[in-house]
Amino acid sequence: MSWLDALARDPVAPLLASGHPAVVHWTRRDLLGESVPPAQEALWDLPVPRRIVRHQSRDGSWAYPGRRARAATNYDLLETYRQLGFLVEMFGITREHPALAAAAEYVLAHQSADGDLRGIYGNQYSPNYTAGLLELLVKAGYAEDPRIEGAFSWLSSCRQHDGGWALPLRTHGRNLDALEEPHTLAADPSRPSSHLITGVVLRAFAAHPRHRSAPEALAACRLLVGRFFEPDAYADRRAAAAWTEFSYPFWMTDLVSALDTVSLISPVKASEDAGTTGKTEQARRWLAARQEEDGLFAAHLLKDRFHDLQLWFSLAVCRVFARMGRSIELGA
C-alpha cells in the first residue's frame, strides 16, 4: 500500500484495533481491499442503525428534535437528511431496507416541477441540500431513478458563469429572511460561485457513476481545488478556517469532503491547471501533519453524535490518501 508512504505512521492498524464493527468493515474493504460480507449482513442489524430506524415516522421522515425557529423551513426534511447520512454513509443501508425506501419516497415527494428538492429553505432554491440528498439517494441505489435524473438536470442548469454553484438568495444579497418570500428567487449567474455550495453539489456528481465524468463536474472540481484554504465569496462559513472544520458524515465543504470528491472525479486532471497546481498536495500535507502518535488523525471536529467521530474522520482521511495515491500512480 504505497499510499502509506505519505504518512508518518500506519493508520490502518488502529482502525482495525478499534473494535468498531462498521469502521473495521470499511477499513478492510476500502483500505485493505479485502472481500467482506455485504453490509446488509454485517452492519444493518447493529444497535445504532436499529435505534435510528426505530425512531422513523410513519411517513418515512424523522422528526426534528430541536426548536423550529423559522416557519418556512421543513425541519423534518432536514432531520431526515441528517439521519439518512448516518444510515447510508456509516452502515451502507440501501433501498433494499424498507426504512430507506420509505425515507427516499418522503424525500422525493418534495421534488418541485423544476427538479430541485425543496423545503429546507422554504420555497427558495437550495442546490446544496438538493445535492446532499441526491448524494445519499444515489449511494442507496437510486442512481437510475428518473426523479434523480431530473434533479441532476436542474443542478446542471443552475450553475454560475464561473462553473460553480451558489445559493441563489445569497447572489441577491439576501439573508435567510428570504425564506418568507412567496416567490422563488433564481440565482444571478453573473455573481461568483460559493465553494461551500460547489463542494456539496459536487459530492452528488462524484457519487454518480455516470455524472461524475460530466464536463461540468470536472470544471467545477478544478474551481473547487483552486479555492482550497481561501475565504468564500459569501457570508456562510466565509472564513478560510472553515476548510479545516470537519464533520462526518460530510455536511459542509471542508478539505476532506472536497478531496474525497476530487478523488472520485479525477485527482490528476483537477490539479492540472496552473492556478491549482499543488493545492491538493498542500491539503494532503496539512492532513498528514495532523496524524497523532497512535496513527489516527486529529482536527477540529464539529459534532460527535456517536462518540467515535475521530475513527470515522480518520477513515475518511485514509480513503482520500488511498484513492488519490492509486489514481495518481495510474495517471487516472
Side-chain angles (χ1 to χ4, degrees), residues 168-184:
L169 62 89
R170 290 299 195 200
T171 67
H172 295 283
R174 297 293 300 275
N175 295 318
L176 293 182
D177 65 307
L179 271 60
E180 306 299 331
E181 288 278 355
H183 304 295
T184 306

Side-chain angles (χ1 to χ4, degrees), residues 48-107:
V48 169
R50 288 179 62 187
R51 183 169 71 247
I52 292 173
V53 168
R54 190 165 61 245
H55 288 93
Q56 188 178 26
S57 301
R58 300 181 81 176
D59 65 357
S61 70
W62 278 266
Y64 184 79
R67 185 174 69 90
R68 301 178 182 234
R70 292 186 294 273
T73 296
N74 186 332
Y75 285 93
D76 289 348
L77 182 58
L78 177 65
E79 184 64 16
T80 299
Y81 173 38
R82 188 188 316 277
Q83 299 301 334
L84 281 175
F86 299 136
L87 293 176
V88 174
E89 298 287 11
M90 292 180 165
F91 303 103
I93 290 182
T94 68
R95 64 186 301 171
E96 280 70 41
H97 194 299
L100 194 291
E105 293 305 315
Y106 171 81
V107 168

Side-chain angles (χ1 to χ4, degrees), residues 16 113 119 135 140 155 191:
L16 291 174
E135 176 194 12
L155 286 172
R191 299 285 295 149

Side-chain angles (χ1 to χ4, degrees), residues 67-283:
R67 185 174 69 90
R68 301 178 182 234
R70 292 186 294 273
T73 296
N74 186 332
Y75 285 93
D76 289 348
L77 182 58
L78 177 65
E79 184 64 16
T80 299
Y81 173 38
R82 188 188 316 277
Q83 299 301 334
L84 281 175
F86 299 136
L87 293 176
V88 174
E89 298 287 11
M90 292 180 165
F91 303 103
I93 290 182
T94 68
R95 64 186 301 171
E96 280 70 41
H97 194 299
L100 194 291
E105 293 305 315
Y106 171 81
V107 168
L108 291 168
H110 292 82
Q111 187 167 31
S112 77
D114 294 336
D116 64 306
L117 299 174
R118 202 174 302 180
I120 294 177
Y121 283 159
N123 197 39
Q124 299 304 320
Y125 291 123
S126 176
N128 50 321
Y129 284 117
T130 294
L133 287 160
L134 270 188
E135 176 194 12
L136 297 176
L137 293 181
V138 167
K139 290 178 176 179
Y142 287 86
E144 300 308 318
D145 190 298
R147 296 169 292 181
I148 298 297
E149 193 61 31
F152 273 106
S153 295
W154 178 78
L155 286 172
S156 295
S157 73
C158 66
R159 289 180 297 154
Q160 301 303 104
H161 289 165
D162 64 10
W165 285 266
L167 193 58
L169 62 89
R170 290 299 195 200
T171 67
H172 295 283
R174 297 293 300 275
N175 295 318
L176 293 182
D177 65 307
L179 271 60
E180 306 299 331
E181 288 278 355
H183 304 295
T184 306
L185 300 173
D188 175 356
S190 68
R191 299 285 295 149
S193 63
S194 159
H195 60 244
L196 165 61
I197 306 301
T198 298
V200 178
V201 171
L202 275 177
R203 295 209 307 261
F205 279 83
H208 199 286
R210 179 163 37 83
H211 286 291
R212 73 173 57 136
S213 61
E216 60 264 36
L218 181 56
C221 193
R222 285 172 167 152
L223 183 150
L224 184 65
V225 170
R227 299 274 187 88
F228 283 4
F229 299 103
E230 303 293 335
D232 206 328
Y234 299 95
D236 307 291
R237 290 171 62 84
R238 184 193 297 274
W243 282 108
T244 55
E245 297 174 346
F246 304 96
S247 59
Y248 194 87
F250 300 139
W251 192 265
M252 304 293 187
T253 297
D254 56 54
L255 283 181
V256 178
S257 73
L259 285 173
D260 186 80
T261 295
V262 170
S263 70
L264 287 165
I265 293 177
S266 181
V268 174
K269 291 180 180 177
S271 302
E272 283 178 345
D273 295 345
T276 63
T277 298
K279 284 276 193 172
T280 54
E281 189 54 37
Q282 179 187 0

